[in-house]
């Protein structure tokens, strides 16, 4: 990106993991700390399947919207500082309207008396292909469009729906001069992008080992990566910031929301089972050994449709006869509810002889969904409210009745690359079409899948303890599927290798169904990541039609890993 720097590592930081992340993070990352090392590039990830739905609803109100407006506020505050320090800004905040965002940023810059070269990447929006019922339809683009913009001198690059990792792949390609067939190097950059994309999740956020962190009240620092010419990199953070960068915090992000051991991207297929981690200093983790192969022939598309309307009410059940109270109120309203879907769930029974009223209570939750708003509006809330003086003793609700809210349904689709015109619009208005790869590969879906059956362990004395005794977890959503990563804690124990073997043997589809009874009738896939001491579990359909349409208590499966860690299992005494 700069003359004479091709052999030096590229320092890429992140300042946003989702639309709504910490607004001050951009300034924090640009200002840096006392180590004197700045950044070459600062990225911001604002998009997820749910975000695309939110932006799609924005465009229904105003066609000029469709981008992440918080990014505009951040640039207004920090653009001068970024230009002063020579830091390039790369973000997917363009969402459904990257051209509109680029124009808005130019307007903001003029108001500040600044003149940055602002480029944008487009071509991902496939609504013209008329996917059935689609509100939004966006192909996941790669990083070569971003690289082209940076090579032409862009100070700010905004995109639509590129893969999250592309925000890092593009700058690395531009800096190191990699080509489309530099598969190992590209795969390394994909892993770097995956580690950085969710912000502070790589520095201790949502980390099951949080008690090992310096919990001193400081906000967690956002991560950065120093990417070498061979695709290896070091994950770190600015000195003096909160949290930590350890093998375990990095592993937690690596196993987040993946599927098999082959990570399919538009630029490269990354072999996640080749990733190697090493702690090389305080808050410094080296990632090396990553291998890649040609990408798949088709591009994945994020399709969001409007599924209908939903509403929820919660009733409080207190004291004795909890089941009888729940049965009575259900029988009183079931016949009156006309919504297409009615789902009832109840939290755990309260403790016997509880010493607080809250401790003696539990919640009965009812969620309704329908293609039309009527059945989930007053037709739903009315029959419940009317029972306030005529149902079980202690009848009360946690909130007043609310209006129906629309919900969306996400589904993946796939298109031939010829259907997509990956285009860079440079700062001077020139349009450049990014060529497609010329080599492709087909991946065996069974690669890396846990062998079944594994050899049975020798008989030994076991103890019944929580799985989390020496196992970390991180979980999340992939559409309607739940992803659960489990790995052995890196605590320096001489039992580490034996524990890794035990975990790979222990975690089977059958065992997952025991630990997660909700999954007893679902398809489950288990993949082994031996270099990380990990297994990755995919539970198909646990989240129904996805986060926006799920009626599950934890619709994004964020707490699934912590629940599984809390389950009691038999572990050989010699491993404890």
């Amino acid at each position: 990106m700069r003359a004479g720097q091709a052999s030096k590592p590229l320092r890429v930081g992140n300042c946003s993991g989702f639309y709504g992340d910490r607004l001050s993070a951009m300034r924090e990352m640009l200002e840096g700390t006392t180590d004197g090392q700045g950044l070459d590039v600062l990225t911001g990830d604002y998009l997820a399947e749910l975000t695309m739905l939110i932006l799609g609803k924005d465009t229904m109100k105003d066609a000029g919207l469709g981008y992440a407006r918080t990014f505009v506020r951040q640039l207004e505050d920090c653009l001068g500082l970024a230009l002063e320090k020579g830091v390039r800004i790369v973000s997917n905040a363009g969402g459904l309207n990257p051209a509109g965002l680029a124009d808005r940023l130019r307007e903001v810059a003029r108001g500040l008396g600044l003149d940055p070269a602002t480029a944008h990447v487009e071509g991902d929006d496939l609504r013209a292909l008329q996917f059935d019922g689609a509100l939004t339809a966006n192909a996941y683009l790669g990083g070569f469009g971003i690289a082209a913009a940076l090579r032409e001198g862009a100070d700010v690059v905004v995109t639509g729906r590129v893969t999250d990792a592309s925000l890092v792949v593009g700058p690395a390609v531009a800096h190191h001069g990699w080509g489309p067939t530099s598969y190992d190097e590209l795969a390394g950059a994909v892993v770097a992008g995956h580690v950085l994309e969710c912000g502070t999740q790589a520095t201790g956020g949502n980390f099951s080992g949080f008690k090992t962190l310096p919990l001193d009240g400081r906000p967690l620092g956002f991560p950065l990566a120093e990417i070498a010419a061979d695709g290896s990199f070091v994950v770190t953070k600015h000195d003096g910031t909160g949290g930590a960068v350890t093998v375990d915090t990095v592993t937690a992000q690596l196993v987040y929301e993946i599927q098999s051991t082959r990570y399919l991207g538009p630029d490269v297929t990354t072999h996640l089972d080749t990733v190697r981690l090493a702690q090389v200093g305080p808050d410094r983790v080296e990632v090396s050994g990553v291998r890649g192969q040609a990408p798949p022939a088709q591009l994945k598309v994020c399709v969001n449709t409007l599924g209908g309307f939903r509403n929820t009410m919660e009733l409080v059940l207190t004291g004795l006869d909890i089941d009888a109270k729940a049965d009575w109120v259900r029988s009183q309203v079931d016949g009156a509810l006309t919504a297409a879907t009615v789902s009832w769930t109840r939290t755990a029974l309260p403790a016997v002889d509880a010493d607080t009223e809250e401790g003696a209570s539990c919640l009965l939750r009812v969620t309704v969904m329908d293609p039309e708003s009527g059945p989930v509006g007053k037709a739903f809330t009315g029959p419940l409210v009317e029972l306030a003086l005529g149902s079980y003793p202690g009848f009360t609700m946690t909130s007043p009745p609310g209006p129906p809210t629309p919900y969306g349904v996400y589904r993946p689709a796939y298109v031939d690359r010829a259907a997509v015109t990956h285009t860079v619009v440079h700062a001077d208005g020139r349009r450049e079409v990014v060529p497609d790869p010329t080599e492709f590969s087909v991946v065996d879906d069974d690669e890396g899948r846990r062998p079944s059956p594994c050899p049975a362990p020798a008989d030994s004395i076991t103890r019944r303890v929580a799985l989390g005794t020496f196992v970390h977890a991180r979980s999340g959503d992939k559409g309607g599927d739940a992803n659960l990563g489990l790995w052995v804690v890196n605590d320096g124990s001489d039992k580490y290798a034996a524990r890794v073997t035990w975990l790979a043997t222990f975690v089977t589809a059958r065992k997952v169904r025991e630990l997660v009874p909700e999954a007893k009738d679902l398809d489950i896939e288990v993949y082994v990541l031996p270099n990380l001491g990990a297994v990755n579990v995919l539970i198909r359909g646990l989240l129904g039609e996805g986060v926006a349409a799920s009626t599950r208590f934890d619709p994004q499966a964020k707490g699934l890993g912590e629940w599984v860690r809390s389950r009691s299992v038999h572990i050989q005494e010699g491993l404890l």
Side-chain angles (χ1 to χ4, degrees):
M1 293 172 61
R2 296 186 180 94
Q5 285 195 344
S7 62
K8 295 175 64 176
L10 176 74
R11 281 176 61 92
V12 182
N14 173 281
C15 69
S16 176
F18 68 101
Y19 190 10
D21 211 340
R22 197 162 83 222
L23 277 173
S24 61
M26 181 178 286
R27 176 164 288 277
E28 293 165 14
M29 291 300 288
L30 289 170
E31 288 179 341
T33 49
T34 56
D35 62 7
Q37 296 190 76
L39 299 173
D40 297 305
V41 176
L42 182 60
T43 67
D45 177 16
Y46 295 79
L47 301 185
E49 289 91 354
L50 180 61
T51 315
M52 300 304 288
L53 177 66
I54 293 169
L55 296 178
K57 292 177 182 177
D58 282 351
T59 62
M60 293 174 68
K61 303 172 187 174
D62 182 345
L65 296 178
Y67 52 79
R69 284 173 279 178
T70 53
F71 178 72
V72 178
R73 292 170 56 191
Q74 289 175 301
L75 255 290
E76 188 168 20
D77 174 56
C78 298
L79 181 57
L81 179 61
L83 294 173
E84 177 188 333
K85 290 180 172 288
V87 179
R88 312 283 186 91
I89 304 291
V90 178
S91 173
N92 60 14
L96 296 174
N97 189 7
L101 176 58
D103 287 341
R104 180 74 181 97
L105 294 179
R106 293 185 186 102
E107 180 184 338
V108 167
R110 286 194 296 270
L112 297 171
L114 302 172
D115 187 26
T118 302
H120 74 271
V121 178
E122 61 186 31
D124 60 296
D125 192 338
L126 301 182
R127 283 176 288 187
L129 297 184
Q130 298 183 332
F131 289 89
D132 185 32
L135 172 64
T136 69
N138 296 80
Y140 289 86
L141 302 182
F144 279 86
I146 296 169
L150 293 172
R151 280 196 299 264
E152 290 294 309
D155 299 303
V156 179
V157 183
V158 292
T159 75
R161 198 36 165 140
V162 297
T163 69
D164 300 341
S166 294
L167 300 175
V168 172
V169 173
V173 167
H175 183 79
H176 291 300
W178 300 333
T181 59
S182 302
Y183 296 131
D184 290 347
E185 294 88 345
L186 291 170
V190 166
V191 174
H194 182 54
V195 171
L196 298 188
E197 70 185 54
C198 288
T200 56
Q201 280 196 171
T203 60
N206 294 336
F207 175 45
S208 58
F210 71 98
K211 291 192 294 183
T212 64
L213 301 175
L215 302 177
D216 52 16
R218 291 177 298 168
L220 300 183
F222 276 70
L224 62 94
E226 300 166 351
I227 305 173
D230 63 356
S232 64
F233 60 96
V234 171
V235 185
T236 184
K237 63 185 184 70
H238 285 320
D239 67 321
T241 57
V245 178
T246 69
V247 168
D248 282 329
T249 66
V250 173
T251 300
Q253 180 57 26
L254 280 175
V255 300
Y256 180 62
E257 294 184 347
I258 60 173
Q259 294 184 325
S260 74
T261 60
R262 298 297 183 262
Y263 199 61
L264 306 183
D267 297 322
V268 66
T269 297
T270 302
H271 296 203
L272 294 175
D273 51 359
T274 63
V275 178
R276 294 187 178 277
L277 306 182
Q279 193 83 41
V280 294
D283 293 323
R284 293 182 65 82
V285 171
E286 182 183 56
V287 183
S288 62
V290 186
R291 296 291 176 261
Q293 68 185 86
Q298 291 189 309
L299 292 176
K300 185 178 179 180
V301 181
C302 168
V303 178
N304 279 299
T305 61
L306 289 177
F309 297 83
R310 62 184 295 164
N311 208 342
T312 298
M313 293 190 73
E314 288 182 337
L315 308 178
V316 181
L317 308 173
T318 304
L320 304 175
D321 306 318
I322 294 292
D323 287 333
K325 291 171 180 175
D327 290 343
W328 187 20
V329 73
R330 286 189 59 170
S331 71
Q332 288 179 294
V333 298
D334 268 344
L337 302 182
T338 60
T341 301
V342 181
S343 302
W344 293 87
T345 59
R346 193 204 67 201
T347 58
L349 290 172
V352 175
D353 193 25
D355 57 4
T356 66
E357 182 178 341
E358 186 173 359
S361 303
C362 64
L363 299 178
L364 179 66
R365 182 181 297 109
V366 55
T367 298
V368 292
M369 305 172 74
D370 196 90
E372 303 297 329
S373 62
V376 302
K378 289 186 178 180
F380 162 58
T381 60
L384 284 164
V385 172
E386 289 167 5
L387 291 175
L389 304 180
S391 188
Y392 66 85
F395 184 106
T396 188
M397 294 176 287
T398 58
S399 64
T405 57
Y407 72 89
V409 176
Y410 159 80
R411 72 174 188 270
Y414 298 87
V415 296
D416 292 335
R417 290 176 184 257
V420 178
T421 305
H422 186 175
T423 304
V424 184
V425 181
H426 293 290
D428 60 4
R430 288 180 299 113
R431 302 178 66 85
E432 177 183 350
V433 175
V434 179
D436 290 329
T438 56
E439 297 179 4
F440 305 101
S441 63
V442 177
V443 173
D444 181 355
D445 290 337
D446 287 331
E447 282 189 271
R449 196 186 291 253
R450 177 195 179 279
S452 183
C454 277
D459 288 341
S460 62
I461 297 174
T462 65
R463 288 169 53 192
R464 191 163 178 81
V465 297
L467 176 61
T469 300
F470 58 73
V471 174
H472 282 316
R474 170 65 64 76
S475 56
D477 62 299
K478 295 293 288 184
D481 303 333
N483 158 256
L484 170 65
L486 300 166
W487 73 99
V488 174
V489 60
N490 289 271
D491 60 358
S493 171
D494 59 4
K495 301 173 183 179
Y496 175 81
R499 289 172 171 176
V500 170
T501 300
W502 173 85
L503 182 66
T505 305
F506 175 78
V507 181
T508 65
R510 178 178 178 181
K511 180 58 67 175
V512 173
R513 293 188 180 99
E514 292 177 12
L515 297 172
V516 185
E518 301 166 65
K520 64 183 178 67
D521 298 320
L522 302 178
D523 292 333
I524 295 174
E525 300 167 17
V526 180
Y527 296 90
V528 181
L529 297 165
N531 289 355
L532 302 178
V535 295
N536 189 66
V537 180
L538 199 64
I539 306 177
R540 299 284 188 183
L542 183 68
L543 310 179
E545 292 185 290
V547 50
S550 178
T551 59
R552 193 175 179 273
F553 168 68
D554 177 20
Q556 290 184 279
K558 297 293 189 182
L560 176 65
E562 288 304 289
W563 175 33
V564 170
R565 287 183 70 241
S566 74
R567 300 303 305 272
S568 294
V569 300
H570 288 283
I571 299 180
Q572 295 151 269
E573 196 166 65
L575 298 178
L576 298 171

